[in-house]
């Protein structure tokens, strides 16, 4: 296994976000956590189970256009059997987005809707808290779902962001929580997968080590993707795989050595933009 420095998060944000979530929970009927379908568990917030106690919950497996469909189905079954409502969608292609509101009403908030029907107040507003760690596509999701544009002021740097309600039509409102939800930074396997997907800024990482780890992972789980994209054999250490990619792409420096930094940037860019195919980096436990 190649070595890589630990990835750290910013503890300063955590207490504030935690407080904000807890103090706003009473305002919502359910909590929707957006996940990256390529790394569903690694893109979950480690404290959400504890923070949202008792509230109906739902997962949105976003970026499903880049994830392995078979793996996404397994994750959907896994979360369903754990009692969660779950939908898969792509904010990029729009696929699956129409399933979101029906899943909210018919599954996550089924009991509440039943009570409301009995009382004859079916059309009372439904309020959802939308949460997600950075880069899962939370803003894209909210913007695509929202019928009206968000207030301009919130986008200006230096203007304190406050929580805001975004109307979805159909009497559904989403609470877009400001504040940064932290990922599983204590779990270095999860942190690496987050880095592979681009959720952690590359300037704090050793990208050659990162690309080597990614290649090692792909050689084991998606060997066909490496053969097809780079015409390399999926064997050897991660760094050897990286050198092979660079050599195949003609990324050489004087003396004939491979420019592994350029190769690393290429591998990471191509993985992140889906050019290596639809890839999921983790499966439910026990699979
Ligand atoms: P946030 O930090 O969670 O608010 O994430 P953003 O909404 O800023 O999205 C992060 C990146 O992921 C952006 O480059 C988006 O264009 C991209 N993105 C969001 N949703 C999808 C999706 O469903 N598929 C793909 N391929 N990219 C997406």
């Amino acid at each position: 296994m190649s070595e890589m420095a630990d990835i750290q998060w910013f503890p300063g944000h955590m207490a504030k976000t935690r407080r904000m979530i807890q103090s706003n929970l009473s305002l919502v009927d359910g909590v929707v956590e957006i996940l990256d379908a390529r790394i569903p568990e690694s893109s979950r917030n480690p404290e959400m189970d504890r923070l949202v106690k008792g509230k109906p919950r739902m997962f949105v497996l976003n970026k499903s256009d880049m994830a392995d469909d078979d793996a996404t189905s397994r994750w959907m079954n896994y979360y369903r059997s754990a009692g969660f409502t779950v939908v898969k969608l792509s904010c990029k292609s729009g696929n699956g987005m129409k399933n979101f509101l029906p899943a909210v009403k018919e599954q996550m908030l089924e009991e509440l809707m039943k009570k409301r029907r009995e009382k004859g107040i079916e059309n009372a507003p439904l309020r959802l808290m939308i949460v997600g760690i950075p880069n899962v596509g939370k803003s894209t999701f909210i913007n695509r779902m929202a019928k009206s544009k968000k207030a301009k002021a919130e986008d200006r740097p230096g203007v304190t962001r406050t929580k805001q309600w975004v109307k979805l039509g159909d009497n559904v409102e989403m609470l877009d929580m400001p504040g940064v939800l932290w990922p599983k930074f204590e779990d270095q396997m999860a942190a690496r997968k987050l880095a592979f997907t681009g959720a952690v800024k590359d300037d704090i990482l050793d990208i050659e080590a990162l690309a080597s780890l990614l290649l090692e992972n792909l050689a084991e789980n998606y060997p066909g993707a490496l053969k097809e994209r780079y015409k390399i054999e999926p064997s050897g250490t991660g760094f050897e795989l990286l050198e092979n990619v660079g050599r195949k792409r003609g990324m050489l420096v004087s003396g004939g050595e491979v420019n592994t930094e350029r190769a690393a940037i290429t591998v990471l860019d191509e993985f992140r933009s889906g050019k290596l195919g639809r890839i999921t980096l983790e499966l439910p436990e026990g699979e």
Side-chain angles (χ1 to χ4, degrees):
M1 192 66 159
S2 313
E3 284 300 319
M4 205 179 74
D6 281 6
I7 296 164
Q8 302 295 335
W9 202 249
F10 312 106
H13 293 149
M14 291 167 56
K16 199 173 160 209
T17 305
R18 199 182 279 130
R19 264 200 314 277
M20 211 139 42
I21 288 177
Q22 284 175 322
S23 63
N24 285 294
L25 266 183
S26 61
L27 303 178
V28 299
D29 302 304
V31 177
V32 178
E33 188 170 358
I34 315 283
L35 305 178
D36 183 328
R38 298 168 298 172
I39 47 168
E41 273 300 294
S42 298
S43 59
R44 275 177 72 175
N45 172 267
E47 276 185 43
M48 208 41 82
D49 286 342
R50 194 173 63 78
L51 285 175
V52 304
K53 311 164 218 101
K55 280 281 167 191
R57 290 173 66 187
M58 174 169 172
F59 290 129
V60 168
L61 297 179
N62 186 35
K63 307 201 184 186
S64 61
D65 56 295
M66 293 204 279
D68 178 334
D69 246 343
D70 177 55
T72 302
S73 302
R74 292 201 212 175
W75 279 112
M76 304 237 334
N77 291 336
Y78 174 80
Y79 289 131
R80 276 193 191 120
S81 35
F84 293 99
T85 297
V86 54
V87 292
K88 65 166 178 178
L89 53 81
S90 163
C91 288
K92 189 175 181 192
S93 69
N95 276 349
M97 294 197 77
K98 64 176 188 327
N99 301 330
F100 175 69
L101 282 178
V104 166
K105 292 180 184 172
E106 292 156 26
Q107 294 174 44
M108 172 168 67
L109 300 179
E110 187 189 10
E111 269 181 47
L112 175 71
M113 294 302 284
K114 187 163 162 262
K115 276 192 205 136
R116 287 184 172 185
R117 263 194 305 278
E118 285 163 5
K119 290 190 193 156
I121 52 166
E122 243 173 301
N123 289 326
L126 287 177
R127 297 198 169 99
L128 309 174
M129 183 185 285
I130 311 290
V131 296
I133 65 165
N135 199 51
V136 291
K138 188 172 89 130
S139 323
T140 314
F141 176 77
I142 290 173
N143 285 330
R144 284 206 65 157
M145 290 300 297
K147 296 275 186 279
S148 58
K149 276 265 166 268
K150 287 204 284 174
K152 260 257 173 296
E154 268 79 22
D155 296 332
R156 288 208 308 262
V159 175
T160 311
R161 279 197 64 192
T162 49
K163 66 176 188 241
Q164 56 178 328
W165 292 96
V166 181
K167 279 198 195 308
L168 286 190
D170 260 5
N171 287 325
V172 180
E173 292 173 16
M174 299 189 291
L175 180 59
D176 179 10
M177 292 292 293
V180 178
L181 207 60
W182 60 99
K184 295 187 176 179
F185 58 89
E186 277 165 5
D187 171 352
Q188 283 304 304
M189 285 309 287
R192 281 171 187 176
K193 291 178 202 160
L194 287 159
F196 295 155
T197 64
V200 181
K201 280 203 169 56
D202 282 339
D203 50 15
I204 61 163
L205 303 169
D206 174 344
I207 57 160
E208 285 164 70
L210 187 66
S212 299
L213 284 165
L214 175 61
L215 288 168
E216 231 171 65
N217 184 317
L218 296 177
E220 192 179 336
N221 300 303
Y222 292 90
L226 295 186
K227 284 186 192 163
E228 194 166 314
R229 181 84 197 164
Y230 301 117
K231 315 284 183 259
I232 61 168
E233 279 310 307
S235 57
T237 65
F239 194 73
E240 284 163 356
L241 290 163
L242 185 64
E243 286 183 314
N244 290 340
V245 169
R247 207 168 284 121
K248 285 279 177 186
R249 290 284 175 98
M251 295 169 172
L252 304 178
V253 286
S254 53
E257 278 196 21
V258 177
N259 184 340
T260 44
E261 189 181 348
R262 260 187 79 198
I265 293 169
T266 300
V267 167
L268 291 168
D269 276 357
E270 295 193 354
F271 171 72
R272 290 170 187 167
S273 58
K275 290 197 179 97
L276 287 166
R278 298 179 62 174
I279 289 169
T280 298
L281 294 171
E282 59 194 13
L283 287 172
E285 226 164 276
E287 294 207 27

